[in-house]
Amino acid sequence: MNPTLAAVLSQLEREDAVPVGTRERATEVVAAEKPALPWYARGLTGVYGWLAAACFLGAAHFLHLGSQLSIVVGLAAVGAAIALRRFVARGFFAQLSLSIALSGEVLAVLGMSELSGYGTVWPPLFMLGIELVLLLAYPDSLMRLLSALGVCSALFRLWEHTGLGRDLDVLVTGALAAALLLFHFRPRLERTAWARIVTPAAYGFAIAACAWMLLALERYSYFGLGWPARIGVAALLLAQLAVLLPSRRHLLLAVPLVAALSALSFGAPGVLAGAALLAAALHRREAKLVALAAGFLVGFYGHLYYSMDQTLLVKSALMLGNAACFVLVWRLLGAQLVDDAPVAIDRRVMAMALAGALLVVNGLIVQKERVLETGAPLLVELRPVDPRSLMQGDYMTLRYRIGDRYEHHARDGRMVVRVDSQNVAEFARWDDGTPLKPGERLLRYRDRDGALRLGAEAFFFQEGKGALYAGARYGELRVTGRGDAVLVGLRDAERHRLGRALR
Amino acid sequence: MEPAALEAPATPQRLRALRDAGVLTDAAYDRALGLVSAPPPRDAQAAFAARAALILGGLLSLAGVVFFVAHNWDAMSRWAKFGVLELALLGFAAAALRATGQLTRQIALSLCAAMLGPLLAVYGQTYQTGADPFELFLSWALLAAPIAALARFMPLWAGVAVLLDVSATLWCLQVPPLDVDPAYYGGLVLAAVNVACLAGYELVSRRTTWLGARTRWFHRVLVAGVLLPPLPLAVWHLAGWPWLWPGSWGDASAAGVAVASLAFALCYRRDRFVRSAVAFGLIGLASALVGHRLLASADEPFAWLALGLLVVAQLTVAMTWIRRAS
């Protein structure tokens, strides 16, 4: 997202800010520079740097250093790593210094935890001190990012010690505010001694804010977020927009939109935080921040699906409301402005693709409806449990007692069942083509991993209605003459139907 | 024409290097910093914001529909559910036809393809065909592929590849084709699916425009999709950790990662991401193998120290190799 060096030098030449020949000299300097590592290679360094640090910690563990010596050795390792890295920028010793610094800080903090007790305020305070030293003194952006994350982690643990409750509103809002402020003032800070730590620190705070928000959304999390975070993050988004938008009139237009997004936010203001990070990314031309915001939003909605504080119906309405806000923004910004002219589309191919898709789906529906139409009722005894599917909601896993067969049988085939006067089925024999006797029917099965399946092993029900089906003892099937079955409902021990059934 | 070196982004680090080398005076450096840190022009900002809003609006709409479908509302008949979803699908198709911009059309077609998922999910809910059956995701991928070809939109093709991966994973779990724990061969199956996707991408994208413009990220994602799934089992096996004893499946996973790494290193010689992924896999394999031998034969403090140094040495070689690709 940054302009090229050529563009910047052209502008400087136009303004007479650089003499003739600057381009040639700049070309020499840039051509001589060793290529910087991209983010994924830095990530690789981070992962294996930590692995090597874990190995060094393993060695220290088997040396049985004791708490006081651990602190001394850990601090000495951190100091040595900083010194080593300041002398050597690349190669084996530079990589080694990263791992020594990581293992040193963990060793020292563990030593302090042992010495002062794990539940006291001293280990996080000690950790905060080490992380700040590394952030300021270790000359490497990856280590600085890790140290910024370490600072946030120490602050989190200190927050736990304050006893200010389980709400993370202050932490989340504070970290997001710190990230946005650092990105905003980066151009000024670039001219100061803080130049090298501002970007890693900004990313550290942004990552921490996202992680804490996801933590607050966890189903079994001790922590939560309330209205203060919603208002705080909305205010931050508005402040970021105030920097970006060209006039007060535009800002006044943005206020109701942000208010609507805030009102439509779920237990945590994820959409607002994502939008604020995107706005900061746009303002500071930060492509990696766009990726962070996108990754956070994906994680946020993934967590939201499984969080239990609102029903899926409410979440669906909130989400469609959020979508409407963004579509409105798109329209307000002049939808056509942003788009290239469309490539011609072959309408016949499109018609065929859509017709094919709808034909397949509707064909499947017709097939099942035919089974419902022509199938005979059959009750099969159950033994149930209940989870939530990837995208189909709540369901009860069904196992049929009729499927508890351990004698030799074909992997996929049909069994013959005997049906009593109340349509309850019992296993009679495996189908071998012998004509059926009166009261006998065919039932198709598949053997999957030693369990017989009838093709109806899950019963989906409306969210929140699990208790209604808790007493289910029979699965009600419609079965065609060929043995194909569709599960239409559940019945209790007295064979009374539970809830709604297909037919 | 500008020298290639000057086409590099003007990052603050580069500008600092130019100042330190005496190419830029302090005043010129300040001005240059001001230029690169200024927000983009207004029209570029509006374009970015509108694109982001359109993409967010589309994804949130889709998520809203998925959440609604998952609620499985009893009060709504099955015909109403099927009808609403099919109408939405046709509505997005109509929006794609009427679209006056390429991105708008591609997003409308993506939503059209995405609506097939909720439609198949409602089919499964209604007729109780099982929770997350692999057939649902496979059918979704196969029915969405022609629409992706129409859209010529790489992100939609990436979605199709993800659906194929999900259906392959569920297939291993639901219909285990072999008589051993699917954890032993699941990674290899996923790697095979992604190899097929990668081969398809390389063949088709060079001959037709169905996949849209060739991008670097698509083959990179697929390379990671080949190398990463079998890696954990291979490392577990080579490190000799307890609880899982994959035997020859562990050997096969390790061999698969090694062979694929070699092939990718040869096929994508200049790609730094591919080199990083290959290095990630090979360092993992080598560290597990040597670590297992070291810890079995040497004193523990020495073995751990030596293993740590070995990891650092491999990392140093890997970084040099990755830098050389640029």
Side-chain angles (χ1 to χ4, degrees):
Chain A
M1 290 169 91
N2 278 88
T4 61
L5 275 175
V8 171
L9 290 174
S10 298
Q11 182 62 30
L12 292 177
E13 281 171 356
R14 272 197 293 276
E15 295 173 8
D16 280 337
V18 289
V20 179
T22 301
R23 280 166 183 264
E24 290 69 25
R25 292 176 60 205
T27 306
E28 281 168 24
V29 171
V30 176
E33 95 182 6
K34 289 197 173 170
L37 287 171
W39 65 267
Y40 38 83
R42 303 292 290 154
L44 177 70
T45 312
V47 170
Y48 282 117
W50 266 113
L51 181 69
C55 293
F56 297 149
L57 283 170
H61 171 76
F62 285 107
L63 288 172
H64 306 291
L65 296 175
S67 55
Q68 286 172 337
L69 199 54
S70 289
I71 296 174
V72 173
V73 172
L75 290 178
V78 170
I82 293 172
L84 187 61
R85 185 62 178 79
R86 283 185 168 269
F87 280 112
V88 192
R90 287 202 175 152
F92 177 80
F93 288 104
Q95 302 291 348
L96 183 64
S97 67
L98 177 78
S99 300
I100 291 176
L102 292 171
S103 54
E105 64 172 301
V106 174
L107 191 64
V109 172
L110 284 177
M112 176 55 82
S113 303
E114 265 179 39
L115 194 67
S116 64
Y118 283 89
T120 66
V121 75
W122 295 108
L125 266 180
F126 188 62
M127 179 177 169
L128 185 63
I130 295 179
E131 298 296 359
L132 285 173
V133 167
L134 282 169
L135 182 66
L136 295 170
Y138 194 97
D140 176 60
S141 58
L142 174 67
M143 187 70 218
R144 285 185 169 132
L145 176 65
L146 294 173
S147 301
L149 290 171
V151 166
C152 294
S153 171
L155 288 175
F156 182 82
R157 292 206 43 210
L158 286 172
W159 174 260
E160 286 183 287
H161 279 284
T162 58
L164 287 174
R166 48 175 78 176
D167 287 342
L168 295 179
D169 304 62
V170 173
L171 275 182
V172 165
T173 315
L176 190 62
L180 296 179
L181 281 171
L182 284 170
F183 278 119
H184 180 73
F185 288 110
R186 192 172 63 181
R188 280 191 213 172
L189 293 168
E190 289 283 356
R191 296 175 174 87
T192 68
W194 305 98
R196 292 171 202 272
I197 66 164
V198 58
T199 303
Y203 272 101
F205 282 122
I207 292 170
C210 295
W212 289 335
M213 213 176 284
L214 293 179
L215 173 72
L217 211 60
E218 273 284 344
R219 192 188 299 187
Y220 301 112
S221 175
Y222 173 77
F223 300 99
L225 285 173
W227 277 101
R230 239 184 264 197
I231 295 168
V233 176
L236 289 173
L237 173 58
L238 268 178
Q240 184 64 53
L241 290 177
V243 175
L244 267 179
L245 294 173
S247 68
R248 280 192 184 173
R249 196 175 63 83
H250 284 87
L251 187 60
L252 284 175
L253 275 173
V255 170
L257 269 168
V258 172
L261 280 176
S262 183
L264 289 167
S265 64
F266 317 86
V271 180
L272 297 170
L277 289 175
L278 282 174
L282 167 64
H283 188 220
R284 286 290 165 236
R285 305 166 184 252
E286 277 293 324
K288 287 185 211 103
L289 195 56
V290 175
L292 174 66
F296 162 65
L297 285 173
V298 169
F300 180 75
Y301 288 116
H303 267 67
L304 194 68
Y305 181 70
Y306 288 99
S307 74
M308 304 297 270
D309 48 350
Q310 285 145 336
T311 66
L312 286 167
L313 195 61
V314 171
K315 287 180 202 166
S316 167
L318 292 174
M319 212 159 300
L320 290 171
N322 276 285
C325 289
F326 284 111
V327 171
L328 188 65
V329 170
W330 173 61
R331 294 297 303 177
L332 284 175
L333 283 165
Q336 311 314 327
L337 234 178
V338 301
D339 237 346
D340 302 328
V343 176
I345 197 163
D346 190 328
R347 285 170 188 249
R348 279 175 309 173
V349 178
M350 183 155 175
M352 280 163 61
L354 288 176
L358 289 177
L359 211 65
V360 169
V361 177
N362 289 317
L364 290 168
I365 293 171
V366 169
Q367 206 180 19
K368 291 291 182 189
E369 286 295 325
R370 201 164 285 163
V371 177
L372 291 180
E373 199 73 44
T374 59
L378 194 72
L379 300 183
V380 191
E381 208 177 341
L382 298 172
R383 37 191 185 89
V385 280
D386 50 333
R388 176 175 282 182
S389 101
L390 282 178
M391 55 183 291
Q392 291 168 291
D394 295 349
Y395 67 96
M396 181 186 283
T397 299
L398 306 180
R399 293 282 177 270
Y400 299 97
R401 293 208 183 279
I402 209 168
D404 294 341
R405 318 264 7 135
Y406 304 107
E407 63 269 33
H408 178 73
H409 55 264
R411 189 171 153 87
D412 291 351
R414 293 185 296 190
M415 63 173 81
V416 177
V417 295
R418 198 176 305 111
V419 182
D420 69 10
S421 57
Q422 289 187 297
N423 289 327
V424 177
E426 257 191 56
F427 178 81
R429 59 194 157 83
W430 303 110
D431 178 35
D432 54 3
T434 317
L436 298 178
K437 295 175 194 159
E440 285 187 339
R441 283 194 211 138
L442 291 173
L443 190 55
R444 196 178 292 282
Y445 71 85
R446 289 173 182 179
D447 189 329
R448 292 288 174 262
D449 221 9
L452 289 196
R453 308 269 170 103
L454 306 184
E457 272 60 37
F459 181 74
F460 291 96
F461 50 82
Q462 182 179 318
E463 183 189 20
K465 289 200 173 176
L468 179 63
Y469 299 98
R473 290 294 172 272
Y474 293 94
E476 182 182 357
L477 309 178
R478 294 282 158 156
V479 186
T480 64
R482 295 168 54 196
D484 298 316
V486 171
L487 178 66
V488 295
L490 298 179
R491 296 203 180 203
D492 65 13
E494 280 74 46
R495 282 99 165 162
H496 296 134
R497 183 171 278 173
L498 300 171
R500 279 164 54 111
L502 264 181
R503 203 163 272 263
Chain B
M1 181 146 167
E2 293 294 345
L6 292 189
E7 292 304 320
T11 58
Q13 294 82 354
R14 279 212 175 89
L15 295 176
R16 211 178 297 135
L18 290 179
R19 183 195 61 182
D20 293 347
V23 177
L24 295 179
T25 59
D26 283 347
Y29 167 69
D30 270 2
R31 177 66 189 126
L33 265 187
L35 286 173
V36 298
S37 56
R42 292 279 171 217
D43 53 346
Q45 286 187 28
F48 176 90
R51 261 190 201 130
L54 181 62
I55 292 169
L56 271 173
L59 291 177
L60 285 165
S61 309
L62 177 66
V65 172
V66 169
F67 281 36
F68 179 77
V69 164
H71 177 69
N72 198 0
W73 202 4
D74 270 350
M76 202 170 172
S77 77
R78 61 183 184 277
W79 302 116
K81 288 178 189 167
F82 287 133
V84 166
L85 289 170
E86 292 194 9
L87 278 176
L89 190 147
L90 291 172
F92 285 126
L97 280 176
R98 286 170 49 91
T100 51
Q102 178 66 353
L103 181 67
T104 317
R105 170 171 287 174
Q106 287 171 326
I107 287 181
L109 280 172
S110 300
L111 287 171
C112 180
M115 290 312 290
L116 286 164
L119 189 56
L120 289 164
V122 170
Y123 167 79
Q125 270 178 351
T126 305
Y127 302 111
Q128 310 288 358
T129 58
D132 305 321
F134 80 91
E135 292 98 332
L136 187 159
F137 294 93
L138 186 60
S139 314
W140 189 2
L142 295 177
L143 295 176
I147 301 175
L150 269 173
R152 297 171 187 199
F153 194 35
M154 208 52 98
L156 184 50
W157 279 111
V160 171
V162 169
L163 288 174
L164 287 174
D165 281 348
V166 172
S167 49
T169 307
L170 293 173
W171 176 69
C172 289
L173 295 172
Q174 293 164 1
V175 196
L178 300 167
D179 225 6
V180 289
D181 188 339
Y184 290 170
Y185 57 83
L188 284 171
V189 170
L190 264 184
V193 169
N194 288 321
V195 164
C197 288
L198 187 57
Y201 167 71
E202 290 295 348
L203 281 174
V204 176
S205 66
R206 287 171 202 277
R207 289 173 171 77
T208 72
T209 54
W210 293 346
L211 303 183
R214 273 177 71 85
T215 58
R216 273 193 313 181
W217 65 263
F218 194 72
H219 79 250
R220 289 177 167 187
V221 170
L222 288 173
V223 163
V226 174
L227 293 177
L228 295 185
L231 187 61
L233 188 79
V235 167
W236 194 286
H237 173 66
L238 294 178
W241 286 330
W243 302 308
L244 275 181
W245 307 104
S248 52
W249 288 108
D251 292 332
S253 298
V257 172
V259 170
S261 297
L262 189 65
F264 291 144
L266 289 172
C267 291
Y268 300 101
R269 283 166 192 271
R270 308 304 300 173
D271 192 312
R272 290 196 290 181
F273 180 89
V274 172
R275 285 196 174 189
S276 301
V278 165
F280 183 77
L282 293 182
I283 294 176
L285 292 184
S287 304
L289 188 66
V290 177
H292 183 45
R293 303 283 182 280
L294 264 175
L295 288 167
S297 59
D299 287 343
E300 271 165 333
F302 170 76
W304 283 110
L305 193 63
L307 183 57
L309 290 172
L310 174 78
V311 171
V312 173
Q314 292 177 96
L315 203 49
T316 309
V317 174
M319 289 305 124
T320 309
W321 184 54
I322 291 166
R323 274 206 180 89
R324 280 190 186 163
S326 46

